[in-house]
Amino acid sequence: YILYLLHNKKRRRCVIHEIEVVGIDCPCVDLAVKRSVYAGIQMELSKSRTLAWQGGGKVATGIVAAARLGAKGAVLGAVGDDSYGKFVDEDFIHHGLDTSYLKKREGKTTNFDIVLSNRETMGRCILYYPGTAEQLQAEELPLEYLTNTKYLFISMLNPVVDLAVDIARKAGAKIFIDADSDSEELRQMIPKIDVFVASEFVYNAMFDGGDRQENCKKVMELGPEIVVFTFGEKGCIGMTKGGYFELPAYKVDVVDTVGAGDVYHGAFLAGLLKGYSAEYTAKLASAVSAIKCTRIGGRAGIPDLETAQHFMETGVINYTDIDARVEFYKRGI
């Protein structure tokens, strides 16, 4: 860490805008397509009347959700200098996010997905086309951002992310993780995590049944001050020093679940930044994720704070702003 600081000493500069959360990801572009039938040995020509071009990536979409709820954030990562990379960058900026350290690799391409969602089963098939833009390198990590943020938001784990975590923690930032799948790297990282929000897949991999409250306690004893597990339409569970909670999911007319978990994590982070309790924050995140699921893609349906809290209080969703976003994302690249 000390050698890293010395090597990058000349790269320091003043942070002009206050940053509350810094997210690290490999952003991508999602072409979200909704149709009645897909997959089979033979495919017939068919029309899809519902599609949208939207940004993708776990932390990338999560930090957009946080920004929609008022958080001030910055995105670290790399894209190509192609039209997809430009789209990714402009979408972050559209949401008020700082992209000063979103590297645009000259002559490289950006990650791209085609997300086919089944209208009847709500299942999906993702066709992933990896770009040639390399992930962020250690020497490209901006010290002035990592040492001046309240939260570092991560999901993928690799040596560069490990270094960013160590730098941010040493400067006093809290580490927030979107843990979507279990791995040895994840388990080794848990002691460094302050807010551990994981999927049901992680829960099932870590625990073979048992009492949910005790299982959350076991994770907390490893280091995190907040532990939450999400179970989709079955709700979520969580624990802090203040106690344990279980919450049901909000009921909505689901159109598309793509990005639901990513949005939940971003909304949870935004709630913490506003000083809400972990339990209320989990309710807010559930509401934001549920509203997102009523529109196609991972980002179009993300509500602002007023819309989310109105839904929590009344059960009614105001779609005025959301449907304007839907039309915006239909325009293409």
Side-chain angles (χ1 to χ4, degrees):
Y1 173 74
I2 294 173
L3 290 174
Y4 178 84
L5 287 179
L6 291 174
H7 177 71
N8 289 276
K9 186 176 181 180
K10 294 181 180 180
R11 296 179 62 239
R12 295 189 183 186
R13 63 180 177 83
C14 294
V15 178
I16 298 176
H17 301 290
E18 180 185 357
I19 299 297
E20 296 178 306
V21 52
V22 172
I24 301 180
D25 203 358
C26 295
C28 66
V29 170
D30 287 349
L31 173 57
V33 181
K34 190 78 172 180
R35 51 180 298 176
S36 294
V37 179
Y38 67 82
I41 297 176
Q42 294 183 337
M43 297 287 289
E44 63 180 24
L45 180 64
S46 62
K47 292 182 179 180
S48 175
R49 298 186 181 276
T50 308
L51 60 83
W53 293 88
Q54 301 183 32
K58 298 190 68 56
V59 169
T61 295
I63 203 168
V64 166
R68 282 282 285 163
L69 298 174
K72 299 175 183 178
V75 182
L76 310 183
V79 294
D81 63 352
D82 53 359
S83 59
Y84 290 164
K86 181 180 179 181
F87 177 84
V88 168
D89 184 40
E90 290 180 348
D91 195 49
F92 285 140
I93 294 173
H94 174 73
H95 288 94
L97 293 163
D98 186 328
T99 62
S100 299
Y101 286 92
L102 178 66
K103 299 296 181 180
K104 292 83 175 177
R105 309 286 195 205
E106 185 176 353
K108 302 297 183 179
T109 58
T110 306
N111 298 333
F112 172 63
D113 297 327
I114 299 176
V115 185
L116 299 172
S117 298
N118 187 305
R119 184 175 289 109
E120 283 74 27
T121 66
M122 294 301 163
R124 60 180 178 266
C125 173
I126 299 177
L127 306 178
Y128 177 58
Y129 298 87
T132 57
E134 297 178 352
Q135 295 183 14
L136 204 66
Q137 302 300 302
E139 61 272 16
E140 295 174 319
L141 290 173
L143 290 180
E144 62 269 33
Y145 280 39
L146 293 175
T147 58
N148 288 280
T149 185
K150 295 178 181 178
Y151 282 92
L152 176 63
F153 186 8
I154 65 172
S155 180
M156 61 182 183
L157 298 174
N158 57 46
V160 175
V161 173
D162 290 349
L163 177 58
V165 166
D166 288 340
I167 294 171
R169 289 183 75 235
K170 190 173 183 65
K174 293 182 181 296
I175 310 301
F176 181 106
I177 191 168
D178 172 350
D180 188 51
S181 58
D182 184 46
S183 67
E184 183 58 32
E185 291 79 8
L186 173 64
R187 300 199 182 203
Q188 291 178 0
M189 180 62 74
I190 291 177
K192 297 181 180 181
I193 302 299
D194 297 284
V195 185
F196 182 84
V197 184
S199 69
E200 61 184 303
F201 307 109
V202 174
Y203 182 88
N204 292 334
M206 294 182 72
F207 305 108
D208 184 16
D211 182 79
R212 287 184 166 188
Q213 181 171 347
E214 286 301 313
N215 290 340
C216 287
K217 184 178 179 181
K218 290 177 183 177
V219 179
M220 277 195 68
E221 289 173 346
L222 297 176
E225 59 187 41
I226 298 176
V227 173
V228 173
F229 288 100
T230 61
F231 297 89
E233 63 183 11
K234 298 177 183 177
C236 65
I237 62 175
M239 175 174 278
T240 68
K241 293 180 180 179
Y244 173 78
F245 60 85
E246 293 191 11
L247 299 171
Y250 286 91
K251 303 299 181 183
V252 295
D253 294 327
V254 176
V255 171
D256 188 8
T257 61
V258 171
D262 308 337
V263 168
Y264 180 100
H265 289 81
F268 197 99
L269 181 51
L272 294 179
L273 285 168
K274 290 186 176 297
Y276 300 151
S277 69
E279 184 170 355
Y280 180 83
T281 294
K283 291 179 182 178
L284 173 65
S286 296
V288 172
S289 180
I291 294 171
K292 184 238 73 73
C293 289
T294 65
R295 294 295 184 265
I296 190 172
R299 297 192 187 175
I302 302 174
D304 59 18
L305 183 61
E306 181 181 356
T307 301
Q309 292 181 325
H310 178 72
F311 170 65
M312 294 169 70
E313 295 168 1
T314 67
V316 177
I317 302 173
N318 182 345
Y319 283 108
T320 303
D321 180 52
I322 292 173
D323 283 344
R325 290 171 60 80
V326 171
E327 291 303 314
F328 173 81
Y329 283 115
K330 285 182 179 179
R331 299 187 307 173
I333 299 296

